[in-house]
Amino acid sequence: MLVAAAVCPCPPLLVPEVAAGAAPELDAARAACTDALGVLAAARPGRLVVVGPVDSVGPEAYPEGTEGSFRGFGVDLGVRLGAAEGAETEPRLPYALAVAAWLLERTGWSEAPVEGLGVGESYPPELCARTGRDIAARDERVALLVMGDASACRTLKAPGYLDERAAPFDAEAARALGAADMAALTRLDTGLAHELKVSGRAPWQVLAGAGEGADLGGSLLYEDAPYGVGYVVAAWS
């Protein structure tokens, strides 16, 4: 059963070495992520599953010990998912899960074994829900770290340029994540999310499926759109 969840954005810019001179601009987001992971640790889960976006449809499983790297962003910094030693000879965590691994290492996560799951932008809502239910059934006390960004169309300089539909979409997503409103997350418009370049839609809907039947409350810890991309941090417990 799902006992806690943390929702975090997944830009590699969260990693100060990647952001370089711009690092202070996301200090508030980093602090909120630390607080959200603290909620996970306080729940004392038996298993932590990290869910994030991948380029393929998915789902793609990443066992504990899988390695990742930020070399593609010009930084020779490696990370590992969880504490176990992996058998990988080359990093293969997708960037969103590599950011999650960095967050876990940064906060000294040692509460429970960690595994990763990647779901693609086109992963259907009904399969997201089913995947979430399957995850929640794996252990008596499951926690989720859910990575994903809201729209990339909040300003003229945003990666997807300005789209007037982006701010209302992000506001409703942030409200639903902050309120642990699983029904509202399930209803997020898949087509509109695609048009607005929302990477978090499928991971959020996996979370909604995992939370079915769980009596959880939520809190919104951070919501902003630096660089024209919507970033949301929330915690459920």
Side-chain angles (χ1 to χ4, degrees):
M1 176 177 286
L2 185 70
V3 295
V7 177
C8 295
C10 59
L13 288 173
L14 272 181
V15 180
E17 292 88 341
V18 174
E25 296 177 21
L26 290 180
D27 279 348
R30 293 185 194 97
C33 290
T34 298
D35 291 343
L37 265 65
V39 171
L40 296 186
R44 299 188 179 278
R47 179 191 302 259
L48 175 64
V49 180
V50 180
V51 182
V54 292
D55 290 335
S56 63
V57 176
E60 295 183 2
Y62 300 91
E64 185 166 32
T66 303
E67 297 177 353
S69 170
F70 295 100
R71 294 187 186 94
F73 299 94
V75 176
D76 189 15
L77 175 65
V79 291
R80 176 181 292 121
L81 191 63
E85 292 288 339
E88 310 297 333
T89 57
E90 292 294 335
R92 69 181 192 98
L93 282 178
Y95 79 88
L97 271 66
V99 173
W102 176 82
L103 286 171
L104 291 168
E105 290 182 5
R106 179 174 183 260
T107 55
W109 178 266
S110 61
E111 302 300 322
V114 183
E115 59 190 85
L117 183 74
V119 287
E121 182 271 335
S122 60
Y123 200 52
E126 60 274 15
L127 293 184
C128 289
R130 184 187 305 169
T131 299
R133 290 191 293 268
D134 290 345
I135 290 172
R138 292 180 189 174
D139 196 283
E140 291 183 359
R141 300 186 63 80
V142 175
L144 287 184
L145 172 54
V146 181
M147 310 297 293
D149 300 336
S151 74
C153 304
R154 291 281 291 273
T155 66
L156 293 173
K157 294 184 178 180
Y161 196 65
L162 176 64
D163 191 313
E164 298 295 344
R165 302 170 297 173
F169 182 98
D170 288 359
E172 172 56 14
R175 185 207 64 77
L177 290 166
D181 188 338
M182 289 163 260
L185 292 173
T186 301
R187 291 194 301 267
L188 289 175
D189 188 318
T190 303
L192 180 57
H194 171 73
E195 293 175 13
L196 297 177
K197 303 183 184 301
V198 177
S199 69
R201 190 275 307 169
W204 298 338
Q205 290 183 330
V206 171
L207 169 60
E212 289 182 14
D215 184 17
L216 299 176
S219 58
L220 183 64
L221 304 179
Y222 176 88
E223 195 277 324
D224 202 355
Y227 317 115
V229 180
Y231 298 150
V232 178
V233 181
W236 294 12
S237 62

